[in-house]
Amino acid sequence: MHKTALVLFSGGQDSTTCLALALSKYERVETIAFDYRQRHSVELQARLAVLAEFKSQFPAWARKLGDDHLLDLAVLGHVSETSLTRDTAFKMESSGLPNTFVPGRNLLFLTLAAALAYRRGLDVIVTGVCETDFSGYPDCRDDTMKAMQLALSLGMDKRFLIETPLMWIDKAATWQMAFELGDKADRSEGTAGGGQALVDLIVEHTHTCYLGDREHRHAWGYGCGTCPACELRANGWAKWRSVIIPTQ
Ligand code: ZN
């Protein structure tokens, strides 16, 4: 029976929802992120704000939340030339992939996460990769995750589980998942409405925008509003609000 987890936690909407899920299921949860000299360090700041809010607003989760690990992965910026690490505009490459694709990124992340999980005695690695409405990144595919789970389990002689709760759902369903997880969570005394509280927390403190825009505040959170990441988040929010209005 799996009791402990390591969450790949970047500070975005998806990984924050994954963190909430892990805290609802497991007894001890640690978090990991990678500094690969992203063009904008906004995400790395957002993740600290999210962790602080989780601790203050959800006491049951605070008790389970263990160490946070930030690994320096500057080498990734040296080997890849993408619009996430260099100051270049977004475009589609001849390969059919957007130039936000960092080759090998998730493979490296998972390998390092597994090495850390091994040392920390954590069984499950949780990641917010998704095949449903993303840009077709090959290292987010379910098959890639299953292959990594096998390779890491064999290579470290430890049975790892790579859990991907968002793999087959869209962004609207991700908002709904956050609402339901927050709704079931224990809250600080005198506070109510955990579902809306978690959604509000995600809107206010997580960061998804490729441009690192924290100036423009929309109903769904901060961002430029036009980059592919903002569009996905905004469209998911609009669909969730219009179609899957939660029962309160
Ligand atoms: Zn944006």
Side-chain angles (χ1 to χ4, degrees), residues 90 207-213 220 222-231:
F90 305 106
H207 187 83
T208 314
C209 175
Y210 284 151
L211 300 182
D213 185 325
W220 45 266
Y222 291 92
C224 71
T226 55
C227 77
C230 280
E231 276 185 359

